[in-house]
Amino acid sequence: MKDRSGVLSNLLSAVRIRHVSVKQSEVLAIIGQGYVGLPLAMAAVEAGWTVIGVDNFVAKVELINGGTSPVEDISNEQLQAAISNGTYKATSDFSAVSQASVITICVPTPLDEKREPDLTLLRSAAAGIAPHVSNETLVVSESTSYPGTLRDVIIPIIDKLKSEKSKSLYFACAPERVNPGDTVWNQKNTPRLVGAINDESRSRAVAFYESICDAVVSVSTPEVAEAAKLLENTFRLVNIALINEFTQLCSSNGINVHDVIEAASSKPYGYMPFKPGVGVGGHCIPVDPLYLTWWARQNSNCAEFVESADLINLRMPRYVAGRALDLVSTGIKTPRVLILGVAYKPGVGDVRETPVSALRDHLLAQGAEVAWHDPLVEVWEGSKPVDLKWDCDVAILATLQPEMNLAELFSRETKILDCTNSLSGKAGVSLL
Ligand SMILES: NC(=O)c1ccc[n+]([C@@H]2O[C@H](COP(=O)([O-])OP(=O)(O)OC[C@H]3O[C@@H](n4cnc5c(N)ncnc54)[C@H](O)[C@@H]3O)[C@@H](O)[C@H]2O)c1
């Protein structure tokens, strides 16, 4: 009986969802115009929405309104088209959200200096929109955070600061899954998780995302959606840690880990290949699992397995530095090391949380002189790149950027430690 009534209630909610339609001439406001917010804005414009992009970084707003996209996944042409046909505009003025029937929050959720969740920006986004949210508006958080953030942090702030006229507001959580630089999966074709605080909020949130995405997966609560996002990224963190640890075990026993990965990948089920590297980087994989470990501690639990994985990845840059310096001829007092690729992954200029920072620090601590080259990064931590003519004793390929032409290094027979397994078999190249 229990099951049958569950099926019926699911069917009823599916029927209700179909009856809620979103008028696409309506206005969507997106708080935060970065790697998540701007692609969402363009996907919504494509789907017929008029979009206001709110960002508190004034210079970025000016750049965007001037037709220059700050993210690789959105071209200047696409942005300029949306601006010139009047379907998109960026602003720093939060009062603009009063025109919106849907508001999505896409602001960063970093770690603080103790490597614990820092919700300052999320709180300030909620406080910024609260006085301007019109009655009957749907507010959705797309920012990644620990379970309970929508219900216990965002909603109380908005409820406290909203105008008296805004009696009925709807709330949902729809964690963003975008993978910057991915040419296959995007906001439209990646299934979207939606968890809402009640049926009406769910109906509206599902209808909104159905207007933009090919598939919407409605889950029972916001906490399920929030936890699912942490599970997805923690899954990556622990598997990367596993292969980083495995790489060190193989290497110290003279086994090529890449051959092992290839061999294991021939199993058609129950195995998924992950690649070793300098560590983990970006705004998600090194960060989100620590929202999980923190949340566990708040509830008197311990996510021991995840904490170990984090430590293994954090130690990887030191291991890579040691392996590279081992390639330098003895007798060279100050080895010159060229790091190739400082962005945290290929195809983007994003250096947030890049493990290459720790790699450089370990090299410097061991007395090396370090320079770097990355065609997608103009300035990194106050320093400028060098070109590939920079004379070095060893180069470390940390991130293979497209258009990175290593012919110059091969012609000089430079020793290269390849952390990406892309130069296998070339003279002078060692693999992790
Ligand atoms: N970048 C990714 O690959 C990715 C993927 C999935 C999910 N996420 C999650 O999405 C969220 C946003 O990440 P992002 O990568 O887009 O960040 P981002 O730094 O690229 O962009 C965020 C923007 O928000 C603006 N901002 C910050 N605080 C604000 C405030 N209070 N009011 C208005 N604007 C504000 C910033 O100026 C910035 O332009 C994070 O929670 C992140 O974990 C990111």
Side-chain angles (χ1 to χ4, degrees):
M1 269 315 277
K2 232 179 169 189
D3 273 345
R4 291 186 59 165
S5 65
V7 169
L8 185 64
S9 88
N10 282 348
L11 279 175
L12 285 174
S13 93
V15 170
R16 271 198 302 274
I17 286 164
R18 269 198 291 277
H19 283 167
V20 177
S21 69
V22 173
K23 279 188 238 113
Q24 294 184 10
S25 56
E26 287 178 17
V27 173
L28 163 67
I30 303 174
I31 316 303
Q33 292 298 280
Y35 282 94
V36 165
L38 193 58
L40 175 68
M42 292 302 115
V45 163
E46 198 105 313
W49 285 81
T50 297
V51 179
I52 301 169
V54 182
D55 201 293
N56 63 1
F57 186 4
V58 176
K60 193 178 209 175
V61 166
E62 283 167 5
L63 183 82
I64 293 174
N65 282 336
T68 302
S69 167
V71 299
E72 293 87 359
D73 289 345
I74 299 300
S75 68
N76 292 345
E77 293 70 32
Q78 186 180 8
L79 178 63
Q80 286 159 11
I83 293 169
S84 61
N85 69 24
T87 49
Y88 175 80
K89 187 177 185 328
T91 178
S92 293
D93 180 2
F94 274 86
S95 70
V97 307
S98 63
Q99 303 164 44
S101 59
V102 180
I103 302 171
T104 60
I105 301 175
C106 307
V107 299
T109 41
L111 298 173
D112 64 15
E113 65 289 346
K114 288 192 282 177
R115 301 186 78 227
E116 292 183 349
D118 179 356
L119 296 188
T120 313
L121 300 174
L122 193 59
R123 285 199 175 89
S124 79
I129 62 173
H132 309 291
V133 178
S134 298
N135 197 29
E136 298 280 316
T137 299
L138 169 69
V139 179
V140 186
S141 177
E142 294 204 2
S143 291
T144 306
S145 189
Y146 55 83
T149 301
L150 177 73
R151 212 184 285 273
D152 304 334
V153 179
I154 296 175
I155 295 177
I157 291 174
I158 294 178
D159 275 346
K160 188 172 163 208
L161 301 174
K162 71 183 184 185
S163 109
E164 276 184 12
K165 287 187 214 141
S166 298
K167 286 196 170 41
S168 300
L169 296 181
Y170 307 100
F171 292 99
C173 167
E176 177 55 72
R177 290 165 149 175
V178 73
N179 181 21
D182 193 326
T183 50
V184 176
W185 296 105
N186 52 46
Q187 246 115 355
K188 185 167 182 340
N189 64 7
T190 305
R192 174 67 75 148
L193 289 182
V194 171
I197 56 160
N198 53 34
D199 285 347
E200 186 57 32
S201 299
R202 177 174 305 110
S203 303
R204 287 171 185 254
V206 168
F208 166 63
Y209 283 104
E210 279 181 342
S211 75
I212 294 173
C213 307
D214 295 342
V216 174
V217 180
S218 174
V219 299
S220 53
T221 63
E223 289 75 17
V224 169
E226 289 164 328
K229 173 72 191 178
L230 295 191
L231 175 61
E232 290 164 17
N233 282 354
T234 303
F235 172 84
R236 285 190 61 73
L237 178 97
V238 298
N239 279 290
I240 293 168
L242 171 64
I243 204 63
N244 279 337
E245 183 174 72
F246 203 87
T247 297
Q248 296 174 56
L249 300 177
C250 283
S251 173
S252 69
N253 288 286
I255 298 173
N256 180 333
V257 75
H258 306 284
D259 291 347
V260 178
I261 295 169
E262 200 183 327
S265 301
S266 65
K267 186 179 176 184
Y269 59 91
Y271 180 76
M272 191 182 281
F274 282 80
K275 289 189 276 178
V278 178
V280 287
H283 185 40
C284 296
I285 308 300
V287 174
D288 302 349
L290 297 197
Y291 273 62
L292 182 68
T293 54
W294 178 86
W295 178 67
R297 289 197 299 278
Q298 300 314 295
N299 298 302
S300 308
N301 297 315
C302 176
E304 207 176 331
F305 183 59
V306 185
E307 288 185 358
S308 290
D310 176 46
L311 274 182
I312 289 167
N313 288 329
L314 285 180
R315 288 186 197 129
M316 206 54 197
R318 182 161 52 175
Y319 171 77
V320 171
R323 286 280 308 272
L325 294 176
D326 284 348
L327 296 173
V328 175
S329 316
T330 46
I332 297 180
K333 279 213 176 108
T334 308
R336 287 165 62 88
V337 184
L338 176 60
I339 300 178
L340 304 166
V342 297
Y344 79 93
K345 68 172 182 179
V348 298
D350 191 350
V351 291
R352 288 179 296 177
E353 308 287 333
T354 176
V356 180
S357 288
L359 170 63
R360 182 208 44 205
D361 293 348
H362 286 299
L363 290 165
L364 292 172
Q366 290 179 59
E369 186 182 341
V370 183
W372 60 276
H373 173 85
D374 189 319
L376 295 183
V377 181
E378 283 172 18
V379 180
W380 175 52
E381 297 184 354
S383 68
K384 296 238 176 200
V386 296
D387 65 26
L388 294 175
K389 293 196 171 77
W390 195 78
D391 189 29
C392 62
D393 299 303
V394 65
I396 302 173
L397 179 56
T399 304
L400 182 66
Q401 291 288 27
E403 295 171 35
M404 192 184 253
N405 182 359
L406 301 179
E408 168 71 31
L409 295 177
F410 292 131
S411 71
R412 296 204 316 264
E413 297 181 359
T414 306
K415 288 177 189 159
I416 302 176
L417 176 64
D418 173 14
C419 304
T420 67
N421 192 31
S422 9
L423 309 177
S424 172
K426 298 233 187 242
V429 170
S430 305
L431 300 176
L432 264 191

